[in-house]
Amino acid sequence: MTDTNNFIHNIIDKDLEEEKYGDKVHTRFPPEPNGYLHIGHAKSICLNFTTAQKYGGKCNLRYDDTNPVKEDMEYVDSIEADVKWLGFSWDQRLWASDYFDEMYQCAVELIKQGKAYVCELNADETRAYRGTLTETGKESPFRNRTPEENLKLFEGMKEGRYADGEKVLRAKIDMASPNMNMRDPVIYRIAHVPHHNTADKWCIYPMYDFAHPIEDAIEGITHSICTLEFEDHRPLYDWVLREVGRWPAPPQQIEFARLNITNTIMSKRYLKALVDEGKVDGWDDPRMSTIAGIRRRGYTAEAVRDFCERIGVAKANSTVDVGLLEHCVREDLKARVESRNVVENPIKIIITNYPEGESEELEIENNREVPELGSRKVPFSRELYVDGDDFMEEPVKKYFRLFPGNEVRFKGAYFITCSQVVKNQDGTIKELLCTYDPETKSGSGFEGRKVKGTIHWVDAKTAIKIRIRNYDYLMIEDEKGEQTLNPDSLIETEGYAEPLLGEAKAGERFQFFRKGYYIADEKFTTDEEKVFNKIVGLKSSWKK
Ligand code: ATP
Ligand code: MG
């Protein structure tokens, strides 16, 4: 059975057919705990976990913590929260640093076989000896040391007898290889830096290209999925496993194109800089492309998984339109949230023929497309607010909302006609005098006449004030076509909302009728004050 959408699954199908790993499928997600995960990592998480699910296999969460300098345990908790939020559970949670002993043994094994040597060239010399893409490299003068000598020196490195950079252990492969990664790559370096897990037990640490295949092999990983930059490293991955020779069915590395999205930062380092420089409100700022950020923004895990599924698995790098991600969010929310009335830049409405001091409760449906979401009661009386965008004193062509002399439907209420604009001394609008037609009550079956515009409203006396945080992309293109930080990525406004919104709990999502999707912000929403993040607008910018 071939699944043409996913070339990785095609490979696995073939491996299963040939019983390369028996009936086993075992993947892993291997983050380096040096920052919060971003939407690119979500792609890798979904791919690794759903692949294991599809084949009834397993997926490990493995911290790739072999570099003691950059890691910080604060990130571990965030990584686990993010994977769980996406809806996955790992088979085992493991630390690459737990394999330091075994990795050391593997290095010793290579030395004994004459496949690795201790080199004393400094960094500049090493670079010069390596050659270029057009020039073959030159062999290090230390290349032909005997295994005995290398063993002694390597042990000395481990014992801390040398300073950082004084010596390295290199694989002895081929200085003439057209693949630069195969020109005697460094596999161990000295770093007198304590490690969060192993403290000061080690002052030598394995390089990624040596450590990663061993980590995979120790865990019995069958398919080690990584991004395209590692394609040129695959021969080294295979070399390490073959030459160490401990594993009869070594894992195989498979590369896919990393996810890039327009207007979206896809680098932990860059995201960290924004946090460190105070350009954003932490790693979970709703503008950030971190999983924590998009969660606080109000995106759902279902939408993110749907997005990862739709973009598929590619073998060539490309950039996905951020509009597709937003589309997935909108599609998911459309079917599950209730709507509420909220107006911004409010204009006061006085219904002059509505009895003073009276009010009524109107029943308004919560989600037209999902009747199961029921309805709610919304107060209506003589004084209301409408949105500043829904009135024009001098209407442009095809403007069907409120303007002097025009009749519109107030959603869920009555037909209302604007009869007069009352101004303040400075010429701004004080209020609109309007009349309503009691015959036209929503749900009464009135069919006397039709109106073209429907607008929403809130009752002035019972309305509550809310804060709305409207977001734009953090990254935009400047005149020169270069990516730059958007100075207007957060615009805070104020709104008037129907009273029910005063009960919103942090994390609850709504459609603000005719406006978009919003979530009560986790950090700023309290019993007294409701602060909403705009998740996404109603209209899609995304075209198939
Ligand atoms: P960054 O470049 O942002 O620092 P990274 O690749 O160094 O990311 P790791 O913690 O090493 O971060 O990544 C864990 C896993 O996530 C790796 O297997 C990596 O290939 C994958 N990954 C990272 N970024 C992306 C992306 N944009 N698309 C798909 N997979 C990604
Ligand atoms: Mg990395």
Side-chain angles (χ1 to χ4, degrees), residues 176-192:
S177 171
N179 183 338
M180 302 284 283
N181 296 305
M182 300 298 273
R183 294 186 186 172
D184 292 10
V186 174
I187 58 176
Y188 258 95
R189 69 196 166 108
I190 300 171
H192 290 269

Side-chain angles (χ1 to χ4, degrees), residues 384-420:
L384 310 167
Y385 290 120
V386 296
D387 202 284
D389 279 351
D390 286 335
F391 174 77
M392 281 187 102
E393 193 168 3
E394 287 164 32
V396 294
K397 234 176 144 185
K398 296 210 169 152
Y399 189 81
F400 299 121
R401 288 169 269 172
L402 210 55
F403 56 85
N406 193 37
E407 185 175 52
V408 298
R409 179 199 308 274
F410 272 33
K411 167 81 178 168
Y414 300 94
F415 286 13
I416 292 193
T417 306
C418 175
S419 43
Q420 196 189 331

